[in-house]
Amino acid sequence: MISASPITDNSHARRMDRMYRYQRHVYDLTRKYYLFGRDTLIRELDVPKGGSVLEVGCGTGRNLALIRKCYPNARLFGFDISEEMLISAEAKLSGKGESRAVLRVADATDFTPELCGQKGFDRIVISYALSMIPDWEKAIDSAIAALNPGGSLHIADFGQQEGLPRGFHRALQGWLRRFHVSPRARLFEVIQVKARETGAEAKLSSIGRGYAWIAIYRRISPN
């Protein structure tokens, strides 16, 4: 069952619902051609047995379905600001004989683990969502605050195409703006600063000469 929490940015929620009301039916088929790095991120989650995984901006549930396949003992949670997308996620993740995921309608900039009946999460995934969240740094803060000790935040999103021809960068950025997508040029810097301020570890990498970036923030377990 999908339940909702109060949405801080109702205008953003309405915009996402309008965009995905029909796109959700073809979203997974089309996005596989240019949302690179998602499977790499999932393979590297290293979810502990029985561990909890939250996806922020889970969309159609495509990533959660793959996480369930890779880590069958994980407890899955997801939320999205678009109720339209969660209709597809609910259908995808409610297969007979499979563990169900807890799905919620919520705002990435204003959530707590209690939304899903948890005190924290062992792994949090944000895949190609920060580039569509206006207050993306606040979304990162909310995710970090929701980590269990020893937990980690895993982010995949568009990079700055720093190793690709300048014309490709300009063309891609212009095309993405048509879909309200703004790659975050300061993503690596922000993760490094937050890790330094909180005594956490940061791991940063790029895919396809900077086409996509992957950032990991790992909270240190107390001794």
Side-chain angles (χ1 to χ4, degrees), residues 17-31:
D17 273 341
R18 286 195 303 270
M19 179 182 298
Y20 292 124
R21 182 164 292 120
Y22 302 108
Q23 279 195 42
R24 67 183 177 85
H25 298 291
V26 296
Y27 184 92
D28 292 339
L29 178 64
T30 57
R31 266 56 176 186

Side-chain angles (χ1 to χ4, degrees), residues 5-9 12 54-58 79-81 105-112 115 126 129-130 132-144:
S5 68
I7 300 297
T8 301
D9 189 347
H12 183 55
L54 168 72
E55 182 172 16
V56 174
C58 65
F79 71 78
D80 203 286
I81 201 168
V105 179
D107 187 334
T109 66
D110 185 27
F111 79 94
T112 64
L115 169 70
I126 310 180
L130 289 180
M132 299 190 73
I133 298 172
D135 196 352
W136 62 278
E137 290 189 49
K138 190 174 179 182
I140 291 176
D141 288 336
S142 293
I144 289 174

